[in-house]
Amino acid sequence: MLQGGRSEAYPGDLLLHLESFRSLLAEIRSGRDAAFERTARRLGVDRSVLRRRIRTLDAWIGTSLLAGRGASLVASPAGVRLAERAERLLAGVRELRADEIGRAACRDRG
């Protein structure tokens, strides 16, 4: 348990939620309207599913990751920090996966 009685375990698919948050921030930063709708469509989910993923991250981290509404929606300071860390984590996971696929291919040939 963390301070304040919150559980350390994430109540869902953390990598999926981080990728969803990162995708949403990219859409917000593009300056186009309807960031939630565009992101949800690109991810192949309903807007309510995307909102739930963001709310789950908010609750687990303990702060809001977004500020504002509609066209004035931006990442909060915590949201900016999470996006930076999530990008490094996701890049590391992709790199590890590529390494393992390469190793498996070498084993299969050898």
Side-chain angles (χ1 to χ4, degrees), residues 9-36:
Y10 189 75
D13 185 335
L14 181 57
L15 287 177
L16 177 66
H17 292 192
L18 289 174
E19 184 61 43
S20 297
F21 180 69
R22 199 179 65 75
S23 295
L24 176 61
L25 282 190
E27 194 64 49
I28 290 169
R29 289 173 176 157
S30 77
R32 293 180 285 187
D33 291 338
F36 267 96

Side-chain angles (χ1 to χ4, degrees), residues 18 21-22 25 29 57-58 61-67 74-90:
L18 289 174
F21 180 69
R22 199 179 65 75
L25 282 190
R29 289 173 176 157
L57 282 167
D58 285 348
I61 292 170
T63 191
S64 181
L65 300 172
L66 299 172
V74 296
S76 70
V80 170
R81 290 191 309 274
L82 176 62
E84 292 166 352
R85 292 172 183 175
E87 181 56 41
R88 288 192 306 265
L89 172 66
L90 293 167

Side-chain angles (χ1 to χ4, degrees), residues 95-107:
E95 183 180 325
L96 175 64
R97 181 174 183 268
D99 290 349
E100 291 306 313
I101 289 171
R103 284 189 180 102
C106 287
R107 281 192 305 267

